[in-house]
C-alpha cells in the first residue's frame, strides 16, 4: 500500500515510528522505497551533496522540478516530499505557483522553512489541495540569519515560541512538521503538542519519524560528520542493506541514540 499523509497520522496514533530519507534520482528512489522507507524527501540538500555548494541557497525551482520528476519515476509507493527552494515562497501567491509545479512534477507534498509567518501561505496551499510540511528549528535556508548551523531552541523562550509556531502552523493546515537540530526535550514536548506527525533530524528519538540525508546514511559525505548522523553502510554489505538497517533501527528505537541527540 502506498504511504499517505493519513497512514503517517495512523502511525503517530498507534505509536509506531516511520522513516524518511532524501532521494534525488530514479535509481535510488526505487531502492529507498523498496527498502521500506515511508517518505522520500527530494531535498534542496542536493545543492550541497550533488552540486558541491556550501549551502542550499543556490538551488533553483527548475532543479527541484527536475529531481522530483526523476524520483517520481522510480518511486515504489513512498510519499514524495519536495523542498521548495530559497525565495520560491516569499509570498503566498508565489508559493502557490511554485508548489503547483512541484506537485505536477510528482510531489505528494511540499516542505517550506519558517515560523508562523508562513501560516497564510500554508492556508492558501492547503485550501487548494497542496499538502504542506513546515520545517522548524535549524532552517538551512536561513543559515546567514542564524549565524551558522547551530542547535535551535535551547533557551526557554525560544523553545516555547517554536511550539507556538508548530501549533499555529497545524491550525493553518500543515500536515507534517519537520524539526532539525533542536534539544530532545523540546522535540518531545512539541511532538505531543500537535496531532500532525513530526519528523526529526538531530531532534532525538521522541519524534514520530526520522529523516537523514542519504549520503550521510551511506557514509560518503566528505568533511566533518554532524552529530546526528550514523553511517549505516559501515555494518552493511550493500546500499539496500544499509537502508533496511536504518529502517529497522528507527522502528525498534535503536536510532537515534543519545549520542546522536542534543540536550
Amino acid at each position: 500500500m502506498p504511504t499517505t499523509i493519513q497512514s503517517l497520522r495512523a502511525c503517530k496514533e498507534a505509536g509506531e515510528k516511520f522513516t524518511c530519507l532524501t532521494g534525488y534520482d530514479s535509481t535510488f528512489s526505487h531502492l529507498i522505497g523498496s527498502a521500506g522507507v515511508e517518505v522520500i524527501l527530494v531535498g534542496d540538500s542536493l545543492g550541497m551533496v550533488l552540486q558541491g555548494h556550501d549551502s542550499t541557497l543556490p538551488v533553483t525551482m527548475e532543479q527541484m522540478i527536475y529531481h522530483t520528476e526523476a524520483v517520481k519515476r522510480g518511486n515504489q509507493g513512498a510519499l514524495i516530499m519536495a523542498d521548495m527552494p530559497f525565495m520560491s515562497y516569499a509570498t503566498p501567491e508565489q508559493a502557490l505557483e511554485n508548489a503547483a509545479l512541484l506537485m505536477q512534477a510528482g510531489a505528494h507534498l511540499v516542505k517550506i522553512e519558517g515560523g508562523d509567518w508562513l501560516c497564510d501561505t500554508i492556508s492558501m496551499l492547503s485550501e487548494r489541495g497542496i499538502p504542506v510540511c513546515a520545517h522548524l528549528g535549524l532552517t538551512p535556508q536561513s543559515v546567514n540569519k542564524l549565524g551558522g548551523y547551530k542547535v535551535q531552541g535551547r533557551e526557554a523562550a525560544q523553545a516555547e515560541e517554536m511550539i507556538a509556531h508548530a501549533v499555529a502552523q497545524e491550525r493553518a493546515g500543515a500536515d507534517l512538521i519537520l524539526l532539525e537540530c533542536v534539544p530532545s526535550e523540546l522535540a518531545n514536548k512539541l511532538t505531543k503538542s500537535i496531532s500532525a506527525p513530526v519528523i526529526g533530524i538531530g531532534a532525538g528519538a521522541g519524534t514520530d519519524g526520522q529523516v537523514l540525508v542519504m549520503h550521510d546514511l551511506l557514509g560518503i559525505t566528505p568533511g566533518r560528520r554532524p552529530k546526528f548522523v550514523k553511517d549505516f553502510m559501515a555494518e552493511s554489505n550493500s546500499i539496500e542493506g544499509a537502508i533496511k538497517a536504518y529502517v529497522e533501527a528507527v522502528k525498534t528505537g535503536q536510532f537515534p541514540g543519545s549520542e546522536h541527540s542534543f540536550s
Side-chain angles (χ1 to χ4, degrees):
M1 290 288 291
T3 300
T4 65
I5 290 169
Q6 288 71 30
S7 60
L8 296 183
R9 280 185 172 270
C11 284
K12 176 165 186 156
E13 291 167 4
E16 299 172 357
K17 303 293 185 180
F18 63 88
T19 53
C20 176
L21 189 62
T22 64
Y24 314 99
D25 64 31
S26 177
T27 301
F28 275 100
S29 172
H30 190 283
L31 271 177
I32 292 167
S34 299
V37 174
E38 286 89 352
V39 183
I40 297 176
L41 170 60
V42 187
D44 59 359
S45 50
L46 67 88
M48 302 172 82
V49 298
L50 297 188
Q51 298 175 340
H53 296 299
D54 61 1
S55 75
T56 63
L57 272 60
V59 177
T60 66
M61 270 300 302
E62 289 75 17
Q63 290 163 352
M64 290 305 304
I65 290 168
Y66 171 87
H67 286 281
T68 300
E69 289 174 338
V71 166
K72 173 67 174 179
R73 294 187 194 109
N75 186 34
Q76 300 297 301
L79 188 74
I80 299 174
M81 177 163 61
D83 269 334
M84 296 192 66
F86 180 64
M87 284 297 145
S88 67
Y89 51 97
T91 66
E93 293 75 19
Q94 182 191 31
L96 180 61
E97 180 179 348
N98 286 322
L101 294 173
L102 287 173
M103 297 294 284
Q104 290 170 335
H108 298 117
L109 74 159
V110 298
K111 181 165 72 66
I112 52 181
E113 300 181 8
D116 59 3
W117 65 270
L118 285 171
C119 286
D120 288 345
T121 296
I122 292 169
S123 293
M124 176 176 275
L125 296 179
S126 181
E127 288 167 359
R128 288 156 179 80
I130 300 176
V132 178
C133 174
H135 184 153
L136 293 167
L138 171 58
T139 47
Q141 292 177 13
S142 303
V143 63
N144 293 308
K145 183 72 172 177
L146 297 174
Y149 298 97
K150 302 175 180 179
V151 178
Q152 302 295 308
R154 278 185 163 144
E155 297 179 4
Q158 190 183 37
E160 291 303 318
E161 182 179 49
M162 199 179 300
I163 292 172
H165 287 328
V167 170
Q169 289 170 336
E170 180 180 38
R171 190 178 299 122
D175 297 281
L176 297 173
I177 301 290
L178 189 145
L179 289 180
E180 181 170 356
C181 289
V182 302
S184 299
E185 184 178 348
L186 168 57
N188 294 347
K189 186 175 180 181
L190 189 151
T191 300
K192 294 174 182 176
S193 298
I194 59 175
S195 58
V198 177
I199 302 173
I201 179 166
T207 55
D208 304 303
Q210 296 291 329
V211 60
L212 282 178
V213 172
M214 180 183 67
H215 294 64
D216 290 340
L217 177 147
L218 298 177
I220 58 174
T221 305
R224 181 171 165 269
R225 183 185 301 169
K227 179 179 180 178
F228 52 79
V229 167
K230 179 176 179 180
D231 176 4
F232 283 89
M233 194 68 185
E235 299 173 4
S236 303
N237 57 14
S238 71
I239 292 173
E240 185 179 17
I243 298 172
K244 286 182 175 179
Y246 164 62
V247 172
E248 178 71 12
V250 171
K251 291 186 179 295
T252 58
Q254 298 175 54
F255 178 82
S258 58
E259 69 273 25
H260 307 113
S261 307
F262 300 102
S263 58

